[in-house]
């Protein structure tokens, strides 16, 4: 059995012949042993902890409800559809990848008429990732992860056509959550941030039945020219 993300996460292949168009039900049976002794904090060695299961594969996750609020998205009512080949500069939450984890690469070819009195910078208007790696004409330039989210590219540019490659890296936040807090990016989380989806739990003012995700995508990147100052 192959592993996914962590050696303890095992993958089980679903035969296409058991799938049907529309609603499908996944049922898993186990021998359950309470993970801790009743009325104590003592954990049983043979105890069974019930965790989430994940459906992974080459598909899109479309959401009928998408609301951008307070720097993040609230989504709900999901369906799976066939993957499209093109990913645009738009946030990938809106393109069927709300729970995507990994990296995303964007390419752009620009024509430059270099001037010796100028310095050239790449600047992210909105930084929607954890870290970004920049390559100019296939040469690794460096990484961006702190404000003001810009990097000088002067020495890597040549006269004429140049290829800019930007690789964005995500965290595990959109995949593992917590997904049901009304605050997208709290200062800290605890085991209580990952409670099950019960009605009583959602009555809390800090919880929501919708799925909370953070933005991730290329967005707008500007090429800035600055005149070199001499004293």
């Amino acid at each position: 059995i192959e592993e996914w993300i962590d050696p303890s996460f095992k993958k089980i292949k679903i035969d296409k012949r058991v799938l049907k168009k529309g609603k499908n039900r996944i049922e898993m049976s186990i021998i359950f042993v309470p993970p801790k002794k009743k009325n104590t904090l003592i954990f049983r060695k043979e105890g069974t902890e019930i965790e989430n299961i994940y459906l992974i594969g080459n598909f899109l996750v479309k959401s009928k409800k998408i609301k951008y609020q307070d720097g993040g998205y609230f989504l709900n009512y999901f369906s799976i559809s066939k993957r499209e080949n093109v990913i645009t500069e738009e946030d990938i939450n809106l393109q069927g990848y709300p729970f995507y984890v990994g990296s995303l690469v964007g390419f752009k070819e620009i024509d430059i008429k270099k001037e010796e009195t100028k310095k050239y910078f790449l600047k992210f208007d909105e930084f929607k990732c954890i870290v970004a790696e920049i390559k100019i004409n296939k040469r690794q330039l460096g990484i961006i992860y702190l404000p003001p989210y810009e990097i000088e590219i002067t020495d890597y540019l040549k006269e004429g056509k140049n290829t800019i490659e930007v690789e964005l890296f995500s965290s595990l936040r959109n995949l593992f959550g917590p997904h049901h807090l009304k605050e997208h990016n709290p200062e800290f989380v605890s085991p209580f941030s990952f409670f099950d989806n019960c009605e009583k739990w959602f009555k809390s003012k800090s919880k929501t039945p919708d799925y909370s995700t953070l933005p991730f995508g290329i967005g707008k990147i500007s090429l800035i020219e600055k005149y070199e100052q001499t004293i």
Side-chain angles (χ1 to χ4, degrees), residues 139-187:
R139 294 173 59 197
Q140 186 172 347
L141 191 156
I143 60 173
I144 300 175
Y145 63 97
L146 292 173
Y149 303 119
E150 68 177 38
I151 190 168
E152 185 178 354
I153 62 174
T154 308
D155 296 337
Y156 289 76
L157 293 176
K158 62 183 179 180
E159 188 75 18
K161 291 184 178 180
N162 292 262
T163 302
I164 299 176
E165 177 182 332
V166 178
E167 184 170 7
L168 311 180
F169 295 87
S170 72
S171 69
L172 295 172
R173 159 65 176 82
N174 283 357
L175 178 65
F176 292 139
H179 284 128
H180 297 289
L181 297 181
K182 290 183 178 179
E183 187 177 355
H184 294 292
N185 220 356
E187 291 184 1

Side-chain angles (χ1 to χ4, degrees), residues 67-74 182-185 212-215:
K67 181 181 180 181
Y68 183 81
Q69 182 179 327
D70 300 327
Y73 295 96
F74 290 109
K182 290 183 178 179
E183 187 177 355
H184 294 292
N185 220 356
S212 159
T213 61
L214 294 177

Side-chain angles (χ1 to χ4, degrees), residues 2 19 56 58 69 98-99 103 129 141 156 170 210 212 223:
E2 296 182 30
L19 297 175
I56 61 176
N58 191 16
Q69 182 179 327
F99 307 113
S103 68
C129 62
L141 191 156
Y156 289 76
S170 72
D210 294 329
S212 159
L223 177 64

Side-chain angles (χ1 to χ4, degrees), residues 33-82:
V33 177
K36 62 182 182 180
K37 295 181 179 180
K38 190 176 181 180
N39 299 324
T40 73
L41 296 176
I42 301 174
F43 281 86
R44 301 175 187 268
K45 186 178 181 180
E46 71 280 9
T48 307
E49 292 199 37
I50 307 299
E51 297 287 352
N52 292 326
I53 61 173
Y54 294 84
L55 186 64
I56 61 176
N58 191 16
F59 52 77
L60 297 182
V61 179
K62 296 288 189 177
S63 175
K64 290 184 179 180
K65 177 182 178 180
I66 301 178
K67 181 181 180 181
Y68 183 81
Q69 182 179 327
D70 300 327
Y73 295 96
F74 290 109
L75 308 99
N76 217 329
Y77 308 110
F78 301 102
S79 63
I80 293 173
S81 61
K82 187 177 179 181

Side-chain angles (χ1 to χ4, degrees), residues 122-138:
L122 277 185
K123 180 176 177 61
F124 287 78
D125 288 14
E126 290 185 345
F127 197 68
K128 299 179 179 180
C129 62
I130 300 301
V131 63
E133 181 181 70
I134 312 299
K135 292 182 181 178
I136 308 292
N137 300 319
K138 297 184 178 181

